[in-house]
Amino acid sequence: MGEKQLLMIPGPTAVPQSILLAGARPMINHRGPEFKAALEECTEGLKRVFQTSHDMYILTASGTGGLEAAVVNMLSPGDLVLSVSIGVFGDRFADIAETYGARVEKMDVEMGQAADAERIRARLAEDDRREIRAVLMTQNETSTGVTNDLATIGPIVREHGALLLVDGISSLVAMDCQMDAWQMDVLVAGSQKAFMIPPGLCFVAINDRAAAAMEQAKMPTFYFDLRKAQSYLKQGQTPWTPAVPQVFQLQAALKLLEKEGLKECFARHARLAKATREGVKALGLKLLADEACASNAVTAVRRPEGVAVADLRKLMTEKYGVVLAGGQRSLKDEIFRIGHLGYVGEADIIATLGLLGLGLKELGVGVDPAAGVQAAVNSLGG
Ligand SMILES: *Cc1c(COP(=O)(O)O)cnc(C)c1O
């Protein structure tokens, strides 16, 4: 197979050629007019994608850096924070807050389930002294392939008055995420998921409530200080040297997204996710997530009995050039994950399911290897 690979993991994702080429340019002065124009164009484009009219900062870091920026710019040591985690990435958000001295209260949810809006409402209603400063949530939990209903949860948090800090790293562009309408105060995304850009940038949007909170926040920060980002952005710059190629690539990605249309992009992800789920089920496999909250960005699949996840992934990569993700932490040997976000189309899904069928058969699973393709084709054509 050589270099040819179908990269079906939930980030980093495949990068279209036009975006790759956009990064292959000579360096420019990051404090000159050309970079200023690119930064300003990207900032405005990202606001449209986040569906916000508020402030947007482009930081040079992976997604986790964006989560750290959200925490340290909004909170002070000792603040009580409610972490509604539905998996590994939700836990990471809580760990960052804890590291910087927040008191973190965890509302744990069973792996594979979405957060329960009524439980959140009830917990916030108990907080009559309004001690909870912020609620931390993940829109799309990449470790389990579950999407939270933030359209419902956002207004519940706003009614209490706590800040709602949202990890949208694997959800932005793969599914609808209306920062302003759903009343999120801080929303974070990253370049290497559905944006189709290599790793290196994260995007942090903050509304007026968050901007006001930032003035009071006392957690220590230097690199991720958004007040510095704010003052530099006024001059069309970033405080530190940015990942210049990725900013050019972001410009190109935003053009591609605008050409496709946001709604069409969400619909494509939904269509491909559904076909993936139908195909996987037709191969006799079980999904981790309830279909009601199943993600349009990534599908988590329980391993078939008698097959080790590591063996399946190894066979798929080495023989067929299809790269699948494994599970994380307690799900490590229990599930594998198919990423279908970003630069994906029908061809990727059909090929993945067909080759997965062959791989399963080879590992001794009694299944019609073509059943997944048939179900996916029916789903796409139906
Ligand atoms: C990928 C991901 C992250 C972490 O991003 P890094 O870029 O690896 O730092 C955080 N949250 C979610 C939901 C993710 O999918």
Side-chain angles (χ1 to χ4, degrees):
M1 291 293 288
E3 285 188 349
K4 191 162 183 183
Q5 267 194 346
L6 255 188
L7 187 61
M8 302 299 286
I9 63 173
T13 61
V15 179
Q17 188 170 10
S18 62
I19 295 181
L20 284 172
L21 292 175
R25 289 179 47 181
M27 270 314 111
I28 58 169
N29 176 10
H30 66 300
R31 309 225 179 268
E34 196 187 348
F35 187 78
K36 177 176 192 275
L39 187 66
E40 289 173 350
E41 184 184 319
C42 288
T43 304
E44 290 311 308
L46 283 172
K47 288 185 192 179
R48 287 192 289 277
V49 166
F50 277 51
Q51 304 183 58
T52 183
S53 61
H54 294 286
D55 297 344
M56 173 69 65
Y57 300 107
I58 298 170
L59 311 179
T60 293
S62 80
T64 306
L67 299 179
E68 186 156 328
V71 167
V72 297
N73 285 283
M74 297 301 139
L75 299 170
S76 300
D79 278 351
L80 182 61
V81 166
L82 179 64
S83 150
V84 184
S85 173
I86 63 167
V88 170
F89 291 102
D91 288 355
R92 182 182 298 179
F93 209 176
D95 286 347
I96 296 169
E98 219 156 56
T99 299
Y100 282 95
R103 286 182 293 142
V104 177
E105 176 181 320
K106 291 193 176 154
M107 180 181 284
D108 279 327
V109 179
E110 197 190 328
M111 292 286 241
Q113 302 291 314
D116 178 347
E118 290 315 310
R119 243 178 101 201
I120 297 171
R121 189 198 301 279
R123 175 60 190 102
L124 292 175
E126 274 170 27
D127 181 32
D128 42 19
R129 289 170 51 205
R130 292 293 184 270
E131 279 192 278
I132 298 173
R133 274 293 286 156
V135 176
L136 310 184
M137 291 208 61
T138 310
Q139 186 186 9
N140 184 71
E141 178 50 64
T142 318
S143 66
T144 57
V146 171
T147 300
N148 279 318
D149 177 7
L150 282 163
T152 302
I153 295 168
I156 292 172
V157 176
R158 179 62 59 86
E159 202 185 313
H160 167 278
L163 292 169
L164 178 57
L165 314 186
V166 178
D167 172 350
I169 294 171
S170 65
S171 54
L172 257 295
V173 179
M175 61 197 72
D176 199 10
C177 183
Q178 303 180 26
M179 175 169 171
D180 291 356
W182 298 352
Q183 303 188 309
M184 302 173 194
D185 298 299
V186 179
L187 177 60
V188 179
S191 57
Q192 82 277 24
K193 306 278 169 89
F195 280 94
M196 311 174 283
I197 307 168
L201 295 180
C202 61
F203 318 125
V204 183
I206 72 169
N207 69 8
D208 295 347
R209 299 172 83 238
M214 188 159 83
E215 296 310 318
Q216 314 294 324
K218 293 195 174 55
M219 281 185 179
T221 178
F222 188 88
Y223 186 80
F224 289 121
D225 187 346
L226 292 182
R227 281 162 294 202
K228 293 190 188 104
Q230 193 175 47
S231 82
Y232 276 83
L233 186 58
K234 291 194 181 112
Q235 311 151 53
Q237 294 181 22
T238 55
W240 331 120
T241 310
V244 174
Q246 276 87 337
V247 173
F248 291 145
Q249 291 176 316
L250 174 56
Q251 240 180 334
L254 289 167
K255 284 202 185 89
L256 279 188
L257 285 169
E258 239 139 79
K259 198 165 144 209
E260 180 178 21
L262 258 193
K263 285 207 171 70
E264 288 72 17
C265 184
F266 303 150
R268 169 170 59 88
H269 281 87
R271 194 167 68 240
L272 298 178
K274 175 103 173 79
T276 304
R277 291 194 295 270
E278 293 305 320
V280 161
K281 285 188 292 181
L283 287 169
L285 303 174
K286 291 199 174 60
L287 303 171
L288 175 69
D290 280 354
E291 291 215 43
C293 60
S295 167
N296 286 341
V298 53
T299 296
V301 184
R302 291 189 188 275
R303 70 176 172 87
E305 206 154 323
V307 172
V309 172
D311 293 343
L312 176 64
R313 289 179 58 219
K314 186 167 189 285
L315 177 70
M316 292 300 292
T317 304
E318 290 180 2
K319 182 156 185 190
Y320 298 116
V322 178
V323 187
L324 303 173
Q328 290 162 285
R329 242 176 24 204
S330 64
L331 293 171
K332 187 168 184 295
D333 300 318
E334 296 307 316
I335 62 166
F336 64 92
R337 293 172 301 150
I338 305 172
H340 34 72
L341 70 171
Y343 188 44
V344 282
E346 284 79 1
D348 303 304
I349 302 303
I350 291 171
T352 299
L353 289 164
L355 297 169
L356 180 60
L358 288 176
L360 290 171
K361 187 173 174 212
E362 204 156 324
L363 291 171
V365 179
V367 63
D368 170 7
V373 170
Q374 189 165 41
V377 169
N378 286 338
S379 172
L380 291 168

